[in-house]
Amino acid sequence: LTFAHSSGISVKEKWNTNNVVSTEISVPNKPIKGLKLALLSDCSPANGLMQMAVKGDFKNEKFFGDFKVQKSGAASIGTSFAFKDWVFGAAVDLNGGNVNKHTLAASYSLGDAEVTTSVV
């Protein structure tokens, strides 16, 4: 089920075979062009609210960044940006203030060939 308002706000709901209703309320390009904010939730008629998160991403032709913060306190943050023939990226997963995982990456494009490296 999807509902979209003329202001850009959209509501999407899915009901899966495990009897869980997933809902996403999102607002694209507000208050800045390229920004999308969303509220995500999973609930079950038997168990009530199971999961809730706030998610956002911002993108333009040279930059992309995203984040997700869950009700449990877990968070993930990632970004990538391009400069001339280079692309750089980083991602971090946090849980309770501790870094669970981090990744750094760089890529250089030579037209037909591309060299990529990453550190996990």
Side-chain angles (χ1 to χ4, degrees):
L1 173 69
T2 301
F3 170 77
H5 190 266
S6 60
S7 65
I9 296 173
S10 69
V11 178
K12 296 178 186 174
E13 283 189 335
K14 289 188 232 174
W15 196 343
N16 67 24
T17 56
N18 294 330
N19 203 25
V20 174
V21 178
S22 298
T23 305
E24 175 183 315
I25 302 170
S26 63
V27 181
N29 296 316
K30 306 259 189 225
I32 354 178
K33 185 178 179 185
L35 178 66
K36 179 182 177 185
L37 297 173
L39 176 65
L40 310 169
S41 70
D42 289 341
C43 65
S44 162
N47 300 325
L49 185 63
M50 298 167 47
Q51 182 177 351
M52 183 176 276
V54 175
K55 181 179 171 183
D57 60 56
F58 176 77
K59 61 183 169 183
N60 63 27
E61 65 265 357
K62 298 285 185 182
F63 177 82
F64 178 81
D66 69 337
F67 73 90
K68 183 176 181 181
V69 180
Q70 297 180 8
K71 182 177 107 172
S72 65
S76 62
I77 304 163
T79 186
S80 63
F81 65 94
F83 177 73
K84 296 186 181 180
D85 294 335
W86 289 90
V87 177
F88 301 96
V92 177
D93 287 339
L94 305 167
N95 194 357
N98 298 321
V99 176
N100 287 349
K101 182 180 172 185
H102 61 282
T103 307
L104 298 171
S107 178
Y108 183 75
S109 178
L110 302 164
D112 291 343
E114 187 173 300
V115 178
T116 302
T117 185
S118 66
V119 177
V120 179

